[in-house]
């Protein structure tokens, strides 16, 4: 099982955003939708052993976390609007601090990064981290940020987490996930 | 200079498609838009030394090729709609067999893969190709297909091209481009 968690610092936390304007009205929800795609899609198949957590920190409802479970998600296509439509479907589902499913394989709970860090040991993607190709072993849960850097409070939360880099260039979160998958795929298949 | 060319077998060849329905009305134009993103975007920067060619083979106007030039493109954001809006802006520009710019850094010409193969030596991405990590050197122009396999006629055109694989899993075209970029970035930066 591999997990990816992406912090959406401005990502809207209710359904009051337009599928036709994910960058603006969604608070860069487009980035999170591309991360869902990068996390879960193979060509003509889904990665059933992957979960993708979207940590939504924008207006108006405080932190919420949406979980896409590769094992059970349905009706997901690779385009941004498809993931966005599923986010919109679950985002106003009444929920507490435990995940509640609002669509097949898509669930939501209150709470953000602090809550998530209690659930699983996160590794942080960081330009100055250890090269993923050089690491003797790779962990199972990775944390990434959207177009904004982690805040000081977030950095404090993950201060002791291991840090990894995917390469010499600074990449978008979804591209980083794709490169990570490639390294994990190679290790699983003996291609390394 | 690195070039990526993606064949869109059903991709609409006039502007009669909706930005709100790229998979359907655009003939899977969403795939090509994600390939533009994967080809050209770094975090907070563009890859100025990359060109991305979209070979559009769908209805109604015969083959056309749209070229995104990293060196000169403007007004391009990473979301699918942004690339699609630029494609829509140039797609009905009257053109012949040479590229004609219809928006900054985005140009169009008549002709498809046969014409493109005359311009540059293409390498094909293929599950059974040589592992890109093992290849002593990598070429500068790569050909990929959308969600459909290359046709027999296309395979015949590229029969003698070198073939490369990015890993053990069959990936979407945009993910393949991202993994290729990572390998090229590493080689350029001495990270390999």
């Amino acid at each position: 099982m591999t997990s990816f968690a992406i912090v959406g610092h401005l990502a809207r936390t209710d359904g009051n955003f337009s599928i036709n304007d994910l960058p603006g009205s969604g608070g860069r929800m487009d980035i999170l939708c591309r991360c869902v795609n990068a996390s879960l899609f193979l060509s003509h198949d889904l990665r059933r052993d992957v979960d993708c957590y979207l940590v939504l920190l924008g207006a108006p409802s405080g932190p919420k976390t949406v979980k896409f479970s590769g094992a059970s998600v349905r009706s997901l296509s690779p385009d941004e609007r498809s993931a966005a439509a599923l986010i919109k479907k679950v985002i106003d589902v009444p929920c507490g601090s435990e995940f509640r499913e609002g669509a097949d394989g898509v669930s939501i709970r209150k709470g953000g990064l602090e809550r998530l860090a209690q659930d699983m040991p996160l590794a942080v993607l960081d330009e100055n981290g250890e090269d993923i190709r050089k690491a003797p072993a790779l962990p199972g849960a990775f944390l990434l940020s959207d177009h904004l850097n982690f805040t000081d409070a977030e950095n404090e939360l993950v201060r002791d987490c291991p840090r990894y880099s995917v390469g010499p260039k600074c990449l978008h979160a979804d591209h980083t996930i794709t490169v990570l998958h490639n390294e994990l795929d190679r290790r699983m298949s003996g291609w390394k």
Side-chain angles (χ1 to χ4, degrees), chain A residues 142-155:
Chain A
F142 297 93
L143 178 69
L144 304 96
S145 187
D146 58 2
H147 62 305
L148 300 175
N149 290 330
F150 289 116
T151 64
D152 289 345
E154 288 160 357
N155 273 322

Side-chain angles (χ1 to χ4, degrees), chain A residues 126-134 164-171 179:
Chain A
D126 180 329
E127 291 163 74
N128 299 313
E130 182 181 10
D131 181 359
I132 56 167
R133 289 199 192 177
K134 303 276 195 328
Y164 296 93
S165 169
V166 299
K169 294 279 178 78
C170 189
L171 303 183
V179 175

Side-chain angles (χ1 to χ4, degrees), chain A residues 150-161:
Chain A
F150 289 116
T151 64
D152 289 345
E154 288 160 357
N155 273 322
E156 182 59 26
L157 260 177
V158 297
R159 193 184 50 188
D160 298 326
C161 296

Side-chain angles (χ1 to χ4, degrees), chain A residues 9-47:
Chain A
H9 289 95
L10 306 175
R12 188 84 193 167
T13 43
D14 70 3
N16 191 22
F17 65 89
S18 167
I19 300 280
N20 295 335
D21 180 24
L22 297 174
S25 70
R28 297 309 309 273
M29 195 70 82
D30 62 309
I31 297 174
L32 303 184
C33 293
R34 288 194 294 279
C35 288
V36 170
N37 169 323
S39 297
L40 296 183
F41 276 94
L42 288 168
S43 184
H44 306 292
D45 205 359
L46 281 174
R47 294 181 182 271

Side-chain angles (χ1 to χ4, degrees), chain A residues 12-190:
Chain A
R12 188 84 193 167
T13 43
D14 70 3
N16 191 22
F17 65 89
S18 167
I19 300 280
N20 295 335
D21 180 24
L22 297 174
S25 70
R28 297 309 309 273
M29 195 70 82
D30 62 309
I31 297 174
L32 303 184
C33 293
R34 288 194 294 279
C35 288
V36 170
N37 169 323
S39 297
L40 296 183
F41 276 94
L42 288 168
S43 184
H44 306 292
D45 205 359
L46 281 174
R47 294 181 182 271
R48 294 297 183 183
D49 57 346
V50 174
D51 288 337
C52 180
Y53 296 84
L54 309 178
V55 179
L56 316 180
L57 300 182
S61 307
K64 288 185 179 177
T65 300
V66 172
K67 177 183 178 184
F68 280 74
S69 303
S72 50
V73 69
R74 288 169 187 263
S75 310
L76 178 65
S77 299
D79 58 301
E80 292 164 12
R81 293 170 64 94
S82 175
L86 286 172
I87 294 169
K88 207 166 165 117
K89 195 167 175 184
V90 307
I91 203 163
D92 287 320
V93 168
C95 62
S97 63
E98 300 298 330
F99 280 114
R100 181 171 172 195
E101 199 168 63
D104 285 336
V106 189
S107 49
I108 187 159
R109 75 177 176 198
K110 286 184 178 155
L113 182 55
E114 192 165 0
R115 176 79 173 80
L116 192 67
Q118 292 166 8
D119 288 353
M120 61 187 81
L122 293 164
V124 179
L125 273 299
D126 180 329
E127 291 163 74
N128 299 313
E130 182 181 10
D131 181 359
I132 56 167
R133 289 199 192 177
K134 303 276 195 328
L138 288 171
F142 297 93
L143 178 69
L144 304 96
S145 187
D146 58 2
H147 62 305
L148 300 175
N149 290 330
F150 289 116
T151 64
D152 289 345
E154 288 160 357
N155 273 322
E156 182 59 26
L157 260 177
V158 297
R159 193 184 50 188
D160 298 326
C161 296
R163 290 174 180 261
Y164 296 93
S165 169
V166 299
K169 294 279 178 78
C170 189
L171 303 183
H172 283 181
D174 59 319
H175 298 168
T176 302
I177 291 169
T178 298
V179 175
L180 260 169
H181 264 320
N182 180 253
E183 179 63 24
L184 294 168
D185 289 343
R186 285 172 173 268
R187 288 177 183 230
M188 284 285 289
S189 304

